[in-house]
Amino acid sequence: MDWGTLVGTAVGGVVALAATMIAERARSRREEAVRRQESKRQLYVAYLAALTRTRNELKDIVRSPGLGQQERARLSAEAYREGGAYELRHQLGLFAPAPVISASDEAFRAIRDVRDLVRDGAPGTLPEAFEAMIHAIRDLRDAMRKDLGTDG
């Protein structure tokens, strides 16, 4: 028996096994990064949709002039609560980078401010508040696009 052949075969097997393990680990990391990115993208889309849904509900309340103060307060609270942004905001806090979280907080506060104005029936300040809300949502979208690498 030639020991050189046996040792060469064993070393070749170990090298092949190590190379396969390294390649598998790299592939696994790439796949995990893709999964994380896709999960984040889905969360971002859901959060923007929730903010937009809430914004649209608040707009509809404003466009209903026959509502009394109590009904307006009830509907604005319902729109804010059922829009879904509150819950998604906490998920964002777990997965998004600081610039997205900061922009998310600004957009959420802007929605809340509009809700309060709609609830209180303060029509004089609503146009500015709606404009601030739209800008905050746009800034959030831009921060999300930058994080996802889709900012053009």
Side-chain angles (χ1 to χ4, degrees):
M1 172 182 264
D2 182 11
W3 286 99
T5 303
L6 185 60
V7 169
T9 302
V11 168
V14 168
V15 168
L17 179 63
T20 301
M21 290 174 66
I22 290 170
E24 179 61 28
R25 187 172 183 182
R27 184 185 63 76
S28 177
R29 284 184 179 170
R30 278 191 309 274
E31 287 175 358
E32 179 60 28
V34 167
R35 278 193 298 274
R36 268 195 314 270
Q37 189 80 345
E38 179 60 20
S39 294
K40 195 186 315 184
R41 186 189 67 76
Q42 289 175 359
L43 176 60
Y44 287 0
V45 168
Y47 188 61
L48 288 173
L51 290 173
T52 301
R53 187 171 36 254
T54 303
R55 181 197 71 201
N56 290 340
E57 287 293 322
L58 292 169
K59 245 188 211 182
D60 288 345
I61 295 165
V62 169
R63 291 179 180 157
S64 301
L67 295 176
Q69 201 281 327
Q70 286 183 335
E71 184 68 3
R72 201 173 44 251
R74 183 187 68 76
L75 289 173
S76 62
E78 187 177 291
Y80 183 74
R81 185 179 53 251
E82 292 181 10
Y86 190 77
E87 296 84 359
L88 291 169
R89 180 174 172 237
H90 290 290
Q91 290 180 36
L92 222 65
L94 293 173
F95 299 106
V100 173
I101 292 170
S102 177
S104 165
D105 289 345
E106 288 299 317
F108 193 77
R109 278 190 217 100
I111 288 274
R112 188 182 58 213
D113 291 347
V114 168
R115 180 216 48 198
D116 292 348
L117 291 171
V118 170
R119 176 195 65 207
D120 298 340
T125 55
L126 271 172
E128 294 85 15
F130 267 105
E131 189 67 26
M133 177 182 56
I134 289 167
H135 284 293
I137 292 171
R138 189 176 300 136
D139 291 345
L140 171 60
R141 183 199 62 217
D142 292 346
M144 290 172 167
R145 287 177 56 83
K146 185 174 182 179
D147 179 45
L148 293 172
T150 59
D151 62 344

